[in-house]
Short mmCIF file of all heavy atoms in Angstrom, two decimals:
data_model
loop_
_atom_site.label_atom_id
_atom_site.label_comp_id
_atom_site.label_asym_id
_atom_site.label_seq_id
_atom_site.Cartn_x
_atom_site.Cartn_y
_atom_site.Cartn_z
N HIS A 24 -52.35 37.73 -140.50
CA HIS A 24 -52.28 36.98 -139.30
C HIS A 24 -53.70 36.57 -138.81
O HIS A 24 -53.99 35.49 -138.36
CB HIS A 24 -51.59 37.70 -138.23
CG HIS A 24 -51.32 36.93 -136.99
ND1 HIS A 24 -50.69 35.66 -136.99
CD2 HIS A 24 -51.65 37.23 -135.68
CE1 HIS A 24 -50.64 35.22 -135.75
NE2 HIS A 24 -51.18 36.09 -134.97
N LEU A 25 -54.66 37.56 -138.94
CA LEU A 25 -56.01 37.28 -138.55
C LEU A 25 -56.66 36.15 -139.41
O LEU A 25 -57.35 35.29 -138.90
CB LEU A 25 -56.88 38.58 -138.70
CG LEU A 25 -56.92 39.45 -137.51
CD1 LEU A 25 -57.78 40.68 -137.88
CD2 LEU A 25 -57.50 38.82 -136.26
N ASN A 26 -56.36 36.17 -140.72
CA ASN A 26 -56.88 35.12 -141.61
C ASN A 26 -56.35 33.77 -141.19
O ASN A 26 -57.02 32.78 -141.21
CB ASN A 26 -56.52 35.40 -143.05
CG ASN A 26 -57.25 36.68 -143.66
OD1 ASN A 26 -58.32 37.02 -143.07
ND2 ASN A 26 -56.78 37.18 -144.75
N SER A 27 -55.03 33.74 -140.80
CA SER A 27 -54.43 32.51 -140.36
C SER A 27 -55.05 32.02 -139.08
O SER A 27 -55.30 30.83 -138.93
CB SER A 27 -52.87 32.71 -140.17
OG SER A 27 -52.31 31.54 -139.58
N LEU A 28 -55.37 32.94 -138.14
CA LEU A 28 -56.00 32.62 -136.89
C LEU A 28 -57.38 31.99 -137.10
O LEU A 28 -57.81 31.02 -136.49
CB LEU A 28 -56.09 33.75 -135.95
CG LEU A 28 -54.79 34.23 -135.36
CD1 LEU A 28 -54.95 35.57 -134.59
CD2 LEU A 28 -54.10 33.20 -134.50
N THR A 29 -58.15 32.53 -138.08
CA THR A 29 -59.49 31.98 -138.36
C THR A 29 -59.37 30.53 -138.95
O THR A 29 -60.24 29.76 -138.73
CB THR A 29 -60.29 32.87 -139.33
OG1 THR A 29 -59.54 33.06 -140.52
CG2 THR A 29 -60.57 34.24 -138.63
N VAL A 30 -58.33 30.31 -139.76
CA VAL A 30 -58.14 28.94 -140.25
C VAL A 30 -57.93 27.98 -139.11
O VAL A 30 -58.47 26.89 -139.07
CB VAL A 30 -56.90 28.94 -141.19
CG1 VAL A 30 -56.51 27.48 -141.57
CG2 VAL A 30 -57.27 29.68 -142.47
N PHE A 31 -57.09 28.39 -138.10
CA PHE A 31 -56.83 27.52 -136.98
C PHE A 31 -58.13 27.36 -136.15
O PHE A 31 -58.35 26.24 -135.50
CB PHE A 31 -55.71 28.09 -136.06
CG PHE A 31 -54.40 27.80 -136.67
CD1 PHE A 31 -53.59 28.76 -137.18
CD2 PHE A 31 -53.91 26.52 -136.63
CE1 PHE A 31 -52.31 28.47 -137.70
CE2 PHE A 31 -52.64 26.17 -137.09
CZ PHE A 31 -51.84 27.16 -137.63
N MET A 32 -59.01 28.42 -136.07
CA MET A 32 -60.20 28.24 -135.28
C MET A 32 -61.13 27.18 -135.93
O MET A 32 -61.66 26.33 -135.23
CB MET A 32 -61.06 29.61 -135.35
CG MET A 32 -60.48 30.68 -134.47
SD MET A 32 -61.46 32.19 -134.59
CE MET A 32 -60.25 33.41 -134.16
N ARG A 33 -61.25 27.14 -137.26
CA ARG A 33 -61.95 26.14 -137.97
C ARG A 33 -61.42 24.73 -137.72
O ARG A 33 -62.08 23.81 -137.44
CB ARG A 33 -62.08 26.47 -139.42
CG ARG A 33 -63.00 25.57 -140.25
CD ARG A 33 -62.94 25.88 -141.69
NE ARG A 33 -63.36 27.28 -141.94
CZ ARG A 33 -64.59 27.67 -142.13
NH1 ARG A 33 -65.57 26.76 -142.03
NH2 ARG A 33 -64.96 28.94 -142.39
N TYR A 34 -60.02 24.63 -137.73
CA TYR A 34 -59.37 23.37 -137.62
C TYR A 34 -59.53 22.79 -136.24
O TYR A 34 -59.96 21.63 -136.04
CB TYR A 34 -57.88 23.52 -137.94
CG TYR A 34 -57.06 22.28 -137.47
CD1 TYR A 34 -57.21 21.07 -138.08
CD2 TYR A 34 -56.22 22.47 -136.35
CE1 TYR A 34 -56.43 19.98 -137.58
CE2 TYR A 34 -55.49 21.38 -135.86
CZ TYR A 34 -55.64 20.19 -136.47
OH TYR A 34 -54.90 19.10 -136.03
N TYR A 35 -59.27 23.64 -135.19
CA TYR A 35 -59.41 23.17 -133.81
C TYR A 35 -60.82 22.81 -133.51
O TYR A 35 -61.11 21.88 -132.73
CB TYR A 35 -58.81 24.18 -132.83
CG TYR A 35 -57.34 24.19 -132.84
CD1 TYR A 35 -56.65 25.44 -133.03
CD2 TYR A 35 -56.58 23.07 -132.62
CE1 TYR A 35 -55.28 25.52 -132.93
CE2 TYR A 35 -55.21 23.14 -132.53
CZ TYR A 35 -54.52 24.32 -132.73
OH TYR A 35 -53.20 24.31 -132.66
N ASP A 36 -61.80 23.63 -134.04
CA ASP A 36 -63.19 23.20 -133.69
C ASP A 36 -63.50 21.91 -134.23
O ASP A 36 -64.19 21.06 -133.62
CB ASP A 36 -64.05 24.29 -134.37
CG ASP A 36 -65.52 23.92 -134.23
OD1 ASP A 36 -66.06 23.87 -133.14
OD2 ASP A 36 -66.19 23.77 -135.35
N GLU A 37 -63.07 21.60 -135.56
CA GLU A 37 -63.35 20.26 -136.09
C GLU A 37 -62.68 19.16 -135.29
O GLU A 37 -63.16 18.09 -135.11
CB GLU A 37 -62.89 20.23 -137.60
CG GLU A 37 -63.76 21.07 -138.48
CD GLU A 37 -63.15 21.17 -139.92
OE1 GLU A 37 -62.02 20.48 -140.12
OE2 GLU A 37 -63.74 21.78 -140.79
N LEU A 38 -61.45 19.49 -134.87
CA LEU A 38 -60.62 18.48 -134.11
C LEU A 38 -61.33 18.18 -132.77
O LEU A 38 -61.52 17.01 -132.37
CB LEU A 38 -59.29 19.00 -133.85
CG LEU A 38 -58.29 18.10 -133.12
CD1 LEU A 38 -58.15 16.76 -133.88
CD2 LEU A 38 -56.97 18.74 -132.85
N LEU A 39 -61.87 19.21 -132.05
CA LEU A 39 -62.49 18.99 -130.80
C LEU A 39 -63.84 18.22 -131.00
O LEU A 39 -64.13 17.32 -130.26
CB LEU A 39 -62.77 20.34 -130.10
CG LEU A 39 -61.51 21.15 -129.59
CD1 LEU A 39 -61.99 22.40 -129.01
CD2 LEU A 39 -60.83 20.31 -128.59
N THR A 40 -64.58 18.67 -132.01
CA THR A 40 -65.77 17.92 -132.28
C THR A 40 -65.61 16.43 -132.50
O THR A 40 -66.29 15.51 -132.00
CB THR A 40 -66.58 18.60 -133.46
OG1 THR A 40 -66.83 19.93 -133.09
CG2 THR A 40 -67.90 17.86 -133.74
N GLN A 41 -64.61 16.20 -133.42
CA GLN A 41 -64.40 14.77 -133.81
C GLN A 41 -63.85 13.97 -132.63
O GLN A 41 -64.22 12.79 -132.38
CB GLN A 41 -63.40 14.72 -134.94
CG GLN A 41 -63.24 13.39 -135.75
CD GLN A 41 -64.66 12.98 -136.22
OE1 GLN A 41 -65.28 13.78 -136.91
NE2 GLN A 41 -65.14 11.84 -135.99
N ALA A 42 -62.97 14.59 -131.78
CA ALA A 42 -62.45 13.89 -130.62
C ALA A 42 -63.51 13.54 -129.64
O ALA A 42 -63.61 12.47 -129.16
CB ALA A 42 -61.36 14.75 -130.04
N ALA A 43 -64.36 14.55 -129.39
CA ALA A 43 -65.55 14.30 -128.43
C ALA A 43 -66.45 13.18 -128.92
O ALA A 43 -66.85 12.35 -128.19
CB ALA A 43 -66.28 15.56 -128.20
N ARG A 44 -66.75 13.21 -130.21
CA ARG A 44 -67.71 12.15 -130.79
C ARG A 44 -66.97 10.85 -130.78
O ARG A 44 -67.67 9.75 -130.45
CB ARG A 44 -68.09 12.55 -132.19
CG ARG A 44 -69.00 13.80 -132.26
CD ARG A 44 -69.41 14.12 -133.73
NE ARG A 44 -70.23 13.10 -134.29
CZ ARG A 44 -71.53 13.04 -134.10
NH1 ARG A 44 -72.13 13.98 -133.40
NH2 ARG A 44 -72.24 12.14 -134.69
N ASN A 45 -65.71 10.75 -131.19
CA ASN A 45 -65.05 9.47 -131.16
C ASN A 45 -64.94 8.90 -129.75
O ASN A 45 -65.08 7.69 -129.55
CB ASN A 45 -63.62 9.55 -131.71
CG ASN A 45 -63.60 9.74 -133.21
OD1 ASN A 45 -64.74 9.58 -133.87
ND2 ASN A 45 -62.56 10.14 -133.85
N TYR A 46 -64.79 9.75 -128.77
CA TYR A 46 -64.68 9.26 -127.37
C TYR A 46 -66.05 8.77 -126.95
O TYR A 46 -66.14 7.76 -126.23
CB TYR A 46 -64.21 10.38 -126.42
CG TYR A 46 -63.98 9.94 -125.02
CD1 TYR A 46 -62.98 9.15 -124.68
CD2 TYR A 46 -64.96 10.37 -124.00
CE1 TYR A 46 -62.79 8.77 -123.37
CE2 TYR A 46 -64.78 9.94 -122.67
CZ TYR A 46 -63.67 9.10 -122.38
OH TYR A 46 -63.54 8.75 -121.12
N ALA A 47 -67.11 9.49 -127.37
CA ALA A 47 -68.50 9.07 -126.97
C ALA A 47 -68.79 7.66 -127.58
O ALA A 47 -69.50 6.86 -126.96
CB ALA A 47 -69.49 10.06 -127.42
N PHE A 48 -68.25 7.41 -128.78
CA PHE A 48 -68.60 6.16 -129.47
C PHE A 48 -67.68 5.03 -129.00
O PHE A 48 -68.11 3.82 -129.01
CB PHE A 48 -68.53 6.29 -130.98
CG PHE A 48 -69.75 6.95 -131.59
CD1 PHE A 48 -69.78 8.30 -131.88
CD2 PHE A 48 -70.95 6.25 -131.83
CE1 PHE A 48 -70.89 8.95 -132.39
CE2 PHE A 48 -72.00 6.82 -132.30
CZ PHE A 48 -72.03 8.19 -132.62
N THR A 49 -66.40 5.33 -128.74
CA THR A 49 -65.45 4.24 -128.51
C THR A 49 -64.98 4.08 -127.09
O THR A 49 -64.42 3.10 -126.64
CB THR A 49 -64.21 4.54 -129.39
OG1 THR A 49 -63.51 5.69 -128.99
CG2 THR A 49 -64.58 4.61 -130.89
N SER A 50 -65.12 5.21 -126.23
CA SER A 50 -64.67 5.33 -124.86
C SER A 50 -63.15 5.14 -124.82
O SER A 50 -62.54 4.81 -123.77
CB SER A 50 -65.30 4.13 -123.97
OG SER A 50 -66.71 4.31 -124.00
N ASP A 51 -62.43 5.36 -125.91
CA ASP A 51 -60.97 5.21 -125.97
C ASP A 51 -60.38 6.55 -125.43
O ASP A 51 -60.63 7.65 -125.91
CB ASP A 51 -60.55 5.02 -127.44
CG ASP A 51 -59.07 4.64 -127.47
OD1 ASP A 51 -58.29 4.90 -126.53
OD2 ASP A 51 -58.61 4.08 -128.51
N GLU A 52 -59.58 6.38 -124.35
CA GLU A 52 -59.07 7.58 -123.64
C GLU A 52 -58.12 8.45 -124.52
O GLU A 52 -57.90 9.62 -124.17
CB GLU A 52 -58.32 7.17 -122.36
CG GLU A 52 -59.22 6.73 -121.21
CD GLU A 52 -60.02 7.93 -120.75
OE1 GLU A 52 -59.57 9.12 -120.76
OE2 GLU A 52 -61.18 7.71 -120.35
N LYS A 53 -57.58 7.89 -125.61
CA LYS A 53 -56.76 8.68 -126.44
C LYS A 53 -57.47 9.85 -127.06
O LYS A 53 -56.90 10.93 -127.30
CB LYS A 53 -56.03 7.88 -127.46
CG LYS A 53 -57.03 7.42 -128.69
CD LYS A 53 -56.26 6.61 -129.73
CE LYS A 53 -57.23 6.29 -130.91
NZ LYS A 53 -56.52 5.49 -131.94
N TRP A 54 -58.75 9.68 -127.28
CA TRP A 54 -59.53 10.80 -127.85
C TRP A 54 -59.79 11.84 -126.82
O TRP A 54 -59.76 13.10 -127.17
CB TRP A 54 -60.88 10.25 -128.38
CG TRP A 54 -60.75 9.31 -129.52
CD1 TRP A 54 -61.04 7.95 -129.52
CD2 TRP A 54 -60.26 9.58 -130.77
NE1 TRP A 54 -60.76 7.42 -130.80
CE2 TRP A 54 -60.25 8.41 -131.61
CE3 TRP A 54 -59.80 10.79 -131.44
CZ2 TRP A 54 -59.86 8.33 -132.94
CZ3 TRP A 54 -59.39 10.71 -132.75
CH2 TRP A 54 -59.43 9.53 -133.50
N ALA A 55 -59.93 11.52 -125.55
CA ALA A 55 -60.14 12.44 -124.50
C ALA A 55 -58.83 13.27 -124.28
O ALA A 55 -58.82 14.49 -124.08
CB ALA A 55 -60.50 11.80 -123.22
N GLU A 56 -57.66 12.50 -124.34
CA GLU A 56 -56.43 13.23 -124.29
C GLU A 56 -56.21 14.22 -125.40
O GLU A 56 -55.77 15.32 -125.19
CB GLU A 56 -55.27 12.15 -124.23
CG GLU A 56 -55.28 11.35 -122.98
CD GLU A 56 -54.25 10.11 -123.11
OE1 GLU A 56 -53.49 10.11 -124.07
OE2 GLU A 56 -54.13 9.36 -122.14
N LEU A 57 -56.51 13.82 -126.61
CA LEU A 57 -56.44 14.67 -127.74
C LEU A 57 -57.36 15.86 -127.63
O LEU A 57 -56.99 17.04 -127.94
CB LEU A 57 -56.86 13.92 -129.03
CG LEU A 57 -56.84 14.73 -130.37
CD1 LEU A 57 -55.44 15.24 -130.65
CD2 LEU A 57 -57.32 13.86 -131.57
N TYR A 58 -58.51 15.68 -127.07
CA TYR A 58 -59.47 16.78 -126.85
C TYR A 58 -58.91 17.79 -125.91
O TYR A 58 -58.88 18.96 -126.18
CB TYR A 58 -60.84 16.20 -126.37
CG TYR A 58 -61.86 17.32 -126.05
CD1 TYR A 58 -62.77 17.66 -127.09
CD2 TYR A 58 -61.87 18.01 -124.88
CE1 TYR A 58 -63.68 18.64 -126.86
CE2 TYR A 58 -62.85 18.99 -124.68
CZ TYR A 58 -63.75 19.32 -125.63
OH TYR A 58 -64.62 20.32 -125.42
N PHE A 59 -58.45 17.33 -124.69
CA PHE A 59 -58.01 18.25 -123.66
C PHE A 59 -56.61 18.91 -124.03
O PHE A 59 -56.29 19.95 -123.47
CB PHE A 59 -57.90 17.61 -122.36
CG PHE A 59 -59.20 17.26 -121.79
CD1 PHE A 59 -59.64 15.95 -121.54
CD2 PHE A 59 -60.05 18.28 -121.37
CE1 PHE A 59 -60.90 15.64 -120.98
CE2 PHE A 59 -61.37 18.00 -120.85
CZ PHE A 59 -61.73 16.69 -120.65
N ASP A 60 -55.97 18.31 -125.03
CA ASP A 60 -54.70 18.99 -125.52
C ASP A 60 -55.00 20.09 -126.52
O ASP A 60 -54.35 21.10 -126.46
CB ASP A 60 -53.85 17.91 -126.21
CG ASP A 60 -52.60 18.47 -126.74
OD1 ASP A 60 -51.76 18.94 -125.98
OD2 ASP A 60 -52.44 18.50 -128.07
N ALA A 61 -56.10 19.95 -127.26
CA ALA A 61 -56.37 20.90 -128.31
C ALA A 61 -57.26 22.03 -127.80
O ALA A 61 -57.21 23.17 -128.33
CB ALA A 61 -57.10 20.26 -129.48
N GLU A 62 -58.06 21.80 -126.69
CA GLU A 62 -58.99 22.80 -126.27
C GLU A 62 -58.33 24.17 -125.88
O GLU A 62 -58.79 25.17 -126.34
CB GLU A 62 -59.82 22.25 -125.08
CG GLU A 62 -60.79 23.21 -124.54
CD GLU A 62 -61.34 22.83 -123.15
OE1 GLU A 62 -61.36 21.59 -122.90
OE2 GLU A 62 -61.81 23.69 -122.41
N PRO A 63 -57.29 24.17 -125.07
CA PRO A 63 -56.62 25.46 -124.66
C PRO A 63 -56.04 26.13 -125.88
O PRO A 63 -55.94 27.37 -125.90
CB PRO A 63 -55.58 25.06 -123.66
CG PRO A 63 -55.39 23.57 -123.82
CD PRO A 63 -56.62 23.03 -124.30
N LYS A 64 -55.60 25.38 -126.89
CA LYS A 64 -55.05 26.05 -128.12
C LYS A 64 -56.06 26.83 -128.84
O LYS A 64 -55.83 27.90 -129.35
CB LYS A 64 -54.43 24.94 -129.03
CG LYS A 64 -53.24 24.19 -128.41
CD LYS A 64 -52.68 23.17 -129.30
CE LYS A 64 -51.56 22.39 -128.62
NZ LYS A 64 -51.02 21.30 -129.52
N LEU A 65 -57.30 26.24 -128.94
CA LEU A 65 -58.43 26.98 -129.58
C LEU A 65 -58.71 28.22 -128.78
O LEU A 65 -58.93 29.28 -129.40
CB LEU A 65 -59.63 26.10 -129.71
CG LEU A 65 -60.92 26.71 -130.29
CD1 LEU A 65 -60.62 27.33 -131.66
CD2 LEU A 65 -62.04 25.81 -130.39
N ASP A 66 -58.83 28.14 -127.46
CA ASP A 66 -59.12 29.31 -126.67
C ASP A 66 -58.10 30.40 -126.78
O ASP A 66 -58.44 31.57 -127.00
CB ASP A 66 -59.30 28.81 -125.23
CG ASP A 66 -59.73 30.00 -124.36
OD1 ASP A 66 -60.86 30.44 -124.43
OD2 ASP A 66 -58.87 30.48 -123.51
N LYS A 67 -56.88 29.95 -126.80
CA LYS A 67 -55.79 30.93 -127.01
C LYS A 67 -55.85 31.62 -128.40
O LYS A 67 -55.62 32.87 -128.46
CB LYS A 67 -54.42 30.26 -126.86
CG LYS A 67 -53.20 31.16 -127.01
CD LYS A 67 -51.94 30.43 -126.83
CE LYS A 67 -50.72 31.34 -127.02
NZ LYS A 67 -49.46 30.63 -126.91
N THR A 68 -56.18 30.85 -129.46
CA THR A 68 -56.30 31.43 -130.81
C THR A 68 -57.40 32.47 -130.85
O THR A 68 -57.24 33.51 -131.42
CB THR A 68 -56.57 30.28 -131.79
OG1 THR A 68 -55.52 29.35 -131.75
CG2 THR A 68 -56.69 30.87 -133.20
N ILE A 69 -58.60 32.19 -130.25
CA ILE A 69 -59.74 33.11 -130.28
C ILE A 69 -59.31 34.39 -129.49
O ILE A 69 -59.62 35.46 -129.96
CB ILE A 69 -60.95 32.42 -129.62
CG1 ILE A 69 -61.42 31.19 -130.54
CG2 ILE A 69 -62.10 33.42 -129.46
CD1 ILE A 69 -62.55 30.45 -129.91
N GLN A 70 -58.66 34.26 -128.35
CA GLN A 70 -58.35 35.34 -127.55
C GLN A 70 -57.34 36.32 -128.26
O GLN A 70 -57.38 37.53 -128.28
CB GLN A 70 -57.71 34.97 -126.21
CG GLN A 70 -58.72 34.19 -125.28
CD GLN A 70 -60.04 35.05 -125.02
OE1 GLN A 70 -60.00 36.24 -124.85
NE2 GLN A 70 -61.21 34.28 -125.09
#
């Protein structure tokens, strides 16, 4: 289970980074929505 959680940590980190960068370049709100949807999931996984 710990190994699975670390896989999700890597995935959510990449997703948050890409969403933030895409929003910075495009100003498209769908990336901000994707970012704020994934952020609590990463925090919950780490905890």
Side-chain angles (χ1 to χ4, degrees):
H24 188 51
L25 272 177
N26 290 342
S27 176
L28 290 175
T29 57
V30 170
F31 279 108
M32 288 180 203
R33 188 181 298 276
Y34 164 71
Y35 283 127
D36 174 63
E37 293 176 357
L38 182 61
L39 290 177
T40 300
Q41 196 59 50
R44 291 180 68 85
N45 285 351
Y46 184 72
F48 280 98
T49 66
S50 302
D51 191 339
E52 282 298 323
K53 72 177 183 182
W54 295 113
E56 293 174 3
L57 178 61
Y58 179 93
F59 289 115
D60 179 65
E62 180 192 335
K64 296 178 181 178
L65 175 57
D66 184 68
K67 181 180 179 182
T68 300
I69 295 174
Q70 296 305 320

